[in-house]
């Protein structure tokens, strides 16, 4: 190989490594939960995937006819290469006596070709189901979202 071919190969490899390093960098996606209690009793977080012992006792509780918001941060990576969609899914449930709502939210991200980084297409969903012994009205909806990585969004869960 000639000197100019060596220099070109080195430059191409350096650019490739630099771009790969940028695309492989992990982001933190923030999901904001807004929990609304339209019942006469306090809501207690009954189930989640979080380590609840790290939070202060009662941190997730929602007073009667009150609201409570909190954020959860998730390590995400939307860089190349990814053949399947990236999915972030969270399931939580709140209970008040024999009434319980199970709330689910999901972020699904697909990639398409981009020159320096992938073009991202995100879909978000939120759903709610009454899962207790006594039936209760449960609602869920996505309220805010950003279209650029790290694709933060907010969900509003209502019970009662």
């Amino acid at each position: 190989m000639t000197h100019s071919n060596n220099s070109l190969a080195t430059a191409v490899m350096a650019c490739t490594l630099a771009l790969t390093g940028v695309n492989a960098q992990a982001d933190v996606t923030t999901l904001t939960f807004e929990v609304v209690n339209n019942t006469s009793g306090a809501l207690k977080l009954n189930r989640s995937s979080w380590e609840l012992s790290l939070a202060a006792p009662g941190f997730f509780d929602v007073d009667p006819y009150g609201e409570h918001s909190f954020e959860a941060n998730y390590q995400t990576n939307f860089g190349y290469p990814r053949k399947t969609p990236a999915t972030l899914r969270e399931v939580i449930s709140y209970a008040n006596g024999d009434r319980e709502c199970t709330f689910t939210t999901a972020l699904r991200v697909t990639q398409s070709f981009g020159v320096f980084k992938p073009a991202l297409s995100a879909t978000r969903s939120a759903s709610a189901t009454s899962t207790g012994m006594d039936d209760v009205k449960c609602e869920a909806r996505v309220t805010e979202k950003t279209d650029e990585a790290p694709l933060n969004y907010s969900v509003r869960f209502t019970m009662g």
Side-chain angles (χ1 to χ4, degrees):
M1 217 186 254
T2 66
H3 177 65
S4 65
N5 285 345
N6 267 344
S7 296
L8 180 60
T10 302
V12 168
M13 182 57 90
C15 285
T16 302
L17 290 174
L19 292 175
T20 302
V22 169
N23 289 336
Q25 187 176 25
D27 287 315
V28 175
T29 297
T30 300
L31 175 51
T32 303
F33 294 87
E34 303 165 10
V35 182
V36 179
N37 180 1
N38 287 335
T39 71
S40 59
L43 297 183
K44 305 273 186 211
L45 183 63
N46 203 26
R47 183 179 58 214
S48 76
S49 64
W50 308 311
E51 179 55 55
L52 299 179
S53 65
L54 299 176
F59 175 78
F60 295 102
D61 297 353
V62 185
D63 292 331
Y65 302 106
E67 294 184 21
H68 180 58
S69 296
F70 55 92
E71 294 180 343
N73 296 313
Y74 300 88
Q75 289 289 349
T76 52
N77 184 349
F78 303 123
Y80 286 128
R82 182 169 209 93
K83 296 183 191 296
T84 58
T87 303
L88 182 156
R89 185 170 186 268
E90 191 63 64
V91 179
I92 63 173
S93 69
Y94 270 90
N96 172 355
D98 288 339
R99 298 182 294 179
E100 179 182 55
C101 286
T102 298
F103 302 110
T104 304
T105 185
L107 167 66
R108 186 169 192 256
V109 181
T110 55
Q111 296 177 342
S112 58
F113 180 74
V115 177
F116 294 109
K117 62 182 182 176
L120 304 177
S121 175
T123 55
R124 296 162 183 91
S125 62
S127 63
T129 306
S130 178
T131 53
M133 299 289 276
D134 294 338
D135 197 36
V136 65
K137 183 178 177 182
C138 306
E139 295 177 339
R141 65 185 169 98
V142 175
T143 57
E144 293 181 32
K145 61 185 178 180
T146 58
D147 293 326
E148 299 296 320
L151 302 169
N152 301 327
Y153 73 108
S154 299
V155 291
R156 185 173 182 90
F157 296 138
T158 305
M159 182 170 170

